[in-house]
Amino acid sequence: MTDDWDEIGFIISSKYRISVLNRLVEGPATPSKISEDEDISIASVSHALKQLRERDLVELLVDEDRRKGRVYGITERGERLWTEIQNRELVD
């Protein structure tokens, strides 16, 4: 569980990572759709996605070579940690 708490701390220490996971829990989306839905800059979304992807909390659902229409989804691990964050009311 210690690893989970490290990851939870990583997620909740950034409002952008929180916003991205909050949106992706609803279903897969492109960075521009996340930006629009969560009212944050596309640069912030891209940075958060990169960080979350490096930790296997989100995944790219289309071919890696695709530049337009990149669709991301939350992983099972990401969803499990997000549920824990919600259940413990660690974010608003």
Side-chain angles (χ1 to χ4, degrees):
M1 187 70 174
T2 302
D3 286 345
D4 284 355
W5 282 109
D6 287 341
E7 293 300 302
I8 287 170
F10 171 77
I11 293 165
I12 66 174
S13 67
S14 165
K15 66 181 182 179
Y16 301 114
R17 290 190 288 261
I18 291 167
S19 292
V20 168
L21 284 180
N22 185 57
R23 172 53 187 84
L24 289 178
V25 106
E26 296 173 19
T30 61
S32 59
K33 183 67 175 152
I34 297 168
S35 172
E36 178 185 318
D37 290 350
E38 294 295 317
D39 196 28
I40 54 178
S41 75
I42 191 77
S44 296
V45 169
S46 295
H47 186 67
L49 282 169
K50 180 180 184 294
Q51 293 174 323
L52 292 166
R53 193 169 171 215
E54 287 170 353
R55 292 177 178 245
D56 296 320
L57 301 171
V58 302
E59 61 189 339
L60 182 61
L61 300 176
V62 297
D63 190 84
E64 187 72 41
D65 296 331
R66 188 178 189 114
R67 290 289 150 227
K68 291 231 176 229
R70 290 170 69 97
V71 179
Y72 290 84
I74 192 167
T75 63
E76 285 183 25
R77 180 169 183 250
E79 196 161 351
R80 180 174 51 81
L81 292 174
W82 184 249
T83 299
E84 186 71 21
I85 289 167
Q86 293 294 301
N87 287 344
R88 293 183 180 265
E89 298 178 351
L90 298 174
V91 296
D92 294 330

